Amino acid sequence: MWLEKQPLTEVLISKKELAQKVEQLGDQITRYYRGKELFLVIILKGSLVFAADLMRCLDLPVTIDFMSISSYGNGSISSGDIKIVKDLAADIGGKDVLIVEDIIDSGNTLAKLQSILQKRHPNSLKICTLLDKPSRRQVDMQVDFCGFTIEDKFVVGYGLDFAEQYRHLPFIGVLNG
Ligand code: 5GP
Ligand code: MG
């Protein structure tokens, strides 16, 4: 089997644990935004799988749009110097916006994105991330909704890639470095 030959050292978060956590996050977000309409900004490509599952756990009126950004940096830490590869088609002015991210590492990418989106005057702008690696943080940032806090390991699966591979794995695995 293909999967058995891959350099994955462990399953960090199983398919079942992911499903349970996403449901909890969905409940938490539903309670928080009750009575409002929510606009999800889904960050491609890594958040695709998470967002697809999460939105189905929201008992709210929801609309979605996508953004694709690339970050430049030297080595393994992003610099926060980001380029918008694909922008939102919708205007977020006056809307309650929730950014859906796969993982926050240094925080540089998201900090920059937040400041770009804030200038478009949403009614509110919050962050939901599936994974957080706080030990790597370089900027102060409030994460409003977080699935799992993880150690400093390079993970793949459930949307997250290594060289565009492994996004389709139904679990989060650690890639041996
Ligand atoms: P930051 O600007 O927070 O350092 O960068 C966050 C981005 O780096 C994430 O959106 C993701 O694309 C990438 N990244 C950070 N840590 C990991 C990891 O453990 N695995 C994968 N696949 N990508 C990661
Ligand atoms: Mg990403």
Side-chain angles (χ1 to χ4, degrees):
M1 273 164 72
W2 168 82
L3 186 56
E4 285 164 9
K5 297 186 205 117
Q6 301 309 305
L8 300 171
T9 51
E10 59 172 308
V11 173
L12 189 65
I13 308 169
S14 70
K15 186 176 168 178
K16 193 172 163 202
E17 289 168 321
L18 284 165
Q20 283 169 348
K21 184 64 80 173
V22 170
E23 202 159 312
Q24 282 171 17
L25 275 173
D27 288 346
Q28 200 186 337
I29 294 167
T30 296
R31 281 197 304 274
Y32 185 84
Y33 288 98
R34 183 159 291 145
K36 293 187 171 152
E37 196 170 321
L38 185 59
F39 187 93
L40 300 180
V41 171
I42 299 164
I43 310 302
L44 297 173
K45 302 173 191 165
S47 307
L48 167 75
V49 181
F50 172 44
D53 285 343
L54 180 67
M55 72 174 82
R56 284 176 281 178
C57 296
L58 299 176
D59 186 10
L60 295 166
V62 170
T63 52
I64 67 168
D65 202 354
F66 303 96
M67 236 176 143
S68 175
I69 52 188
S70 64
S71 43
Y72 302 104
N74 37 21
S76 62
I77 289 209
S78 70
S79 64
D81 190 8
I82 69 172
K83 184 176 158 223
I84 297 177
V85 177
K86 184 219 170 289
D87 205 342
L88 299 171
D91 178 8
I92 58 167
K95 295 183 181 164
D96 290 295
V97 176
L98 182 63
I99 300 173
V100 182
E101 246 304 17
D102 50 0
I103 185 165
I104 306 178
D105 192 35
S106 71
N108 287 327
T109 309
L110 209 49
K112 191 72 196 295
L113 180 66
Q114 255 184 320
S115 92
I116 290 170
L117 294 184
Q118 202 70 64
K119 288 184 189 124
R120 301 181 188 180
H121 307 294
N123 183 51
S124 66
L125 181 63
K126 298 208 174 282
I127 295 170
C128 173
T129 188
L130 177 66
L131 306 172
D132 188 12
K133 282 186 195 171
S135 64
R136 300 253 302 171
R137 198 74 93 251
Q138 291 192 328
V139 288
D140 235 4
M141 132 154 346
Q142 188 188 336
V143 181
D144 305 286
F145 305 97
C146 174
F148 301 90
T149 298
I150 63 168
E151 287 172 49
D152 183 15
K153 292 176 175 171
F154 193 84
V155 293
V156 296
Y158 200 66
L160 290 122
D161 75 310
F162 173 68
E164 293 299 326
Q165 294 292 318
Y166 307 120
R167 294 193 196 275
H168 65 303
L169 300 181
F171 56 85
I172 301 273
V174 176
L175 201 66
N176 95 34

